[in-house]
Structures are given as C-alpha cells and as structure tokens.
Amino acid sequence: SFPRLSRVSLYATAQNFLEKNIDELKELRAGGLSLAYFGIETGSDALLNKIDKGVNADQMIEALHRAHEAGIKISATVILGIGGIEYTGKHIRDTVKLINAAPITYLSTLQLGLEEGAKERFLKAFDSFILLNDLQILQEQRELISLINPPQKIIFRSNHASNALHLSGTLPKDHDRLLSEIDEAL
C-alpha cells in the first residue's frame, strides 16, 4: 500500500509486547516496525502502582527483552520528579536497575509536569506529594546518569521543553562529560 514507506515506529506499552510471542513480534519487525517509543516512567514498583502503569519493573524488563529479541529498537523515557521528595531516591535507584537490565537503544528524560485535569488524580495516589524544584531535578538527573551502566550503548537525550537542562550523549561513554555539565549547572 505504501511503496515508499521507509520506517514504521509506534508507541508501545509493556503489555503490548507481553501479549505477543516472539514470532509475532518478529513478524511485525519483518513488516517494517523498527522502533517503539516506550514509557518506562520509573523502575519503582511502588510508583508504578501509584501511577496505574499496569505492570511492574520485571514485566517491563521482560517486555523490553522481547522487543530486542525481535529486532525492534526501543526509545524509552523516564520522568524525573515522578516520586516527589518522598520517593526520589527509590525512583532513581530502581529506575537505574531497570535500565541496566534492559536493552534500550535511546533513552530520554522528561521532567514531571502536572496539568490541571490530571493533577488531582495523580496526587490522590500519594499521602503527600511535594514537587521537586529544578535543583532537585538536576540532582535526580545526576544520580540517574552516574549509576547507568547499560548492557549496550544508549543514546541519551534530555532535550524536551520540560527539562531544566538540555543534555545529549552516549552512555556509558559520555558519563563524565554529562556529569560535568550537570555539576556546572548545579
């Protein structure tokens, strides 16, 4: 139907990958699917439950391995600040565990922003939630980058309009430069 089509990509959830077997995913890859955008958000099971993600970190890791085995590249996102002050450490530590256990091609960070329509629903999941300021977000970003030791190289970007600091590099190769840029901003 589309003779000049050169690339197919889509947004996918862990559930999308888990409901298909490897052969079905390979069939999608053979049909042209080369990249899936995948919202990790966090690797913390407690936070995944609070945001109604519908899966836990182990299920996300399994889903990402299935996509990789089928030859589908992953562009994953993590949301800085999603745990507020109370969960900041757990959010980053558990997210790093997930990233270090999963084959991801591209990784981006976004900074939590709550629109009025979603804010009340989001906050109901927490006993109390204190948003991180830009300084605290940069500290989360620094910890995340400092701990990432991925199974394969990851092209990293933090260049969304929501981000306090725009960063780009390849992990783990650019660890030191990225940390230096964050330290300068801090």
Side-chain angles (χ1 to χ4, degrees):
S1 297
F2 304 100
R4 295 189 323 205
L5 182 68
S6 61
R7 181 176 67 170
V8 176
S9 55
L10 51 72
Y11 288 90
T13 64
Q15 295 92 323
N16 297 144
F17 289 127
L18 294 173
E19 68 189 13
K20 299 199 177 321
N21 63 44
I22 296 298
D23 289 335
E24 291 171 317
L25 292 171
K26 285 181 178 180
E27 186 178 337
L28 289 171
R29 176 64 187 107
L33 175 62
S34 59
L35 177 69
Y37 296 96
F38 187 94
I40 290 173
E41 326 318 359
T42 181
S44 163
D45 286 343
L47 289 172
L48 289 168
N49 187 50
K50 287 180 181 300
I51 64 171
D52 294 325
K53 191 73 175 169
V55 292
N56 62 36
D58 288 338
Q59 290 168 311
M60 277 201 273
I61 292 167
E62 180 184 343
L64 292 166
H65 278 282
R66 280 190 191 191
H68 180 74
E69 186 177 337
I72 301 167
K73 293 179 180 179
I74 296 293
S75 180
T77 55
V78 169
I79 300 177
L80 299 172
I82 198 166
I85 297 280
E86 182 179 355
Y87 289 92
T88 185
K90 183 154 183 56
H91 163 51
I92 294 302
R93 286 187 304 275
D94 290 352
T95 300
V96 166
K97 285 180 193 171
L98 190 156
I99 292 167
N100 288 344
I104 297 168
T105 307
Y106 306 97
L107 177 66
S108 299
T109 55
L110 306 171
Q111 190 167 321
L112 180 68
L114 297 172
E115 295 179 357
E116 284 308 313
K119 187 175 185 176
E120 185 176 322
R121 184 172 167 261
F122 178 85
L123 294 176
K124 277 184 182 179
F126 294 86
D127 294 329
S128 66
F129 187 90
I130 301 171
L131 280 169
L132 275 60
N133 62 35
D134 285 347
L135 179 67
Q136 293 161 324
I137 290 289
L138 288 175
Q139 289 166 336
E140 266 199 358
Q141 178 88 287
R142 188 184 197 297
E143 185 175 359
L144 178 83
I145 291 171
S146 72
L147 297 173
I148 290 177
N149 186 20
Q152 64 183 38
K153 79 173 186 170
I154 294 176
I155 297 168
F156 175 77
R157 299 289 183 267
S158 178
N159 58 2
H160 188 267
S162 70
N163 292 107
L165 177 65
H166 289 212
L167 299 167
S168 79
T170 302
L171 296 171
K173 178 178 75 81
D174 295 325
H175 265 128
D176 291 343
R177 179 181 56 79
L178 293 169
L179 294 174
S180 177
E181 289 178 27
I182 295 169
D183 288 341
E184 186 175 330
L186 286 167

